[in-house]
Amino acid sequence: MTAVTPACQLLERQPEDYRDWLWVAPPEDPWLNDQSGSLWSTDLNVAQAWRERGATVYDDLAPAITDVPGAVLFWPKAHALGEWWLLALCAQLPEGTRLQIVGENQGGIRRVLKILAALGLGCRRLDNARRCMLFETRLGRVSLAPDDAWTTFEALDLQLASHPGIFGHGKLDSGTALLLDNLPESLNLAGANILDVGCGDGVISAWLARQGAKTTAVDSSSFAVEATRRTLTANGLSGNALQSDVYSALPEGERFDAIISNPPFHQERAIDYSPAARLIREAPRHLEKSGYLILVANAFLPYPDLLEATFDGFEILADDRRFRVYMARKR
């Protein structure tokens, strides 16, 4: 199939035989469907798609990867995340393994040269087209470890674990703060069974658990699931964190007193409303009778119509002109 993303279009024109290579953090692109090899991705949806076509998939943060002839890393827009991938590849693959790094100019791919130099790894440019660049290096032992990318910060009297691969890295999101400050008094948190969708660093789950709620946290990112687990542990709190495509990992028939969320609407630079749309449309199936769906979103996002169609009504609990907190209740 023909490539559609600029990075894959650049790879498509290479003379390299990528047979049995490891594809690292790739986008969804039809050209990759025709490539052999294995996948390392922390994105659940990408991992599932590769599994469905029979590929070997590594989806945790420190997998035991069998020897591969080479690897291709798709450089992310967050440079700190790209640095983590480089450190992780150096830790998981043998010294001397070929690594190609591809990315868009507007995503900062040129910074790869300085980052590789700082790690003591050589580099050469292979190609430049489609507003993308392709570099090659060979992996080696470096002084930094992937775990060095994890940090902690304090917010709402909680110690929060953070990683470059999650939303709001290193700070409390203003929308999340508005959400937690405006939960309705009618929601009795003590003993309530609550689902946190799009858990990120785990701040919502930890805050709710501290109020006595039983929390389940889900996110499609391995980084977010691990961050939430670390956050709960750091604060001496209990809760369950699962990698899930919205509701996909939940046990059949499990119902919650409330679903509380700051849902994502970006996939890299692209706007993607589909996870939030499924969060809203499928919420009634996962709520107890009279259960709440409470979410915060940028004021411009088109969620009111979805809430009205799904719940036949909703309330706005807070609006600071940038964010709105919506509440809908299952009848």
Side-chain angles (χ1 to χ4, degrees), residues 75 79 101-105 107-113 133 135:
W75 193 253
H79 302 307
I101 307 167
V102 65
E104 297 183 39
N105 294 338
I109 183 64
R110 289 183 175 87
R111 292 190 61 179
V112 165
L113 290 169
M133 300 183 79
F135 297 99

Side-chain angles (χ1 to χ4, degrees), residues 111-124:
R111 292 190 61 179
V112 165
L113 290 169
K114 292 183 178 179
I115 294 170
L116 288 173
L119 292 173
L121 301 175
C123 181
R124 66 188 181 103

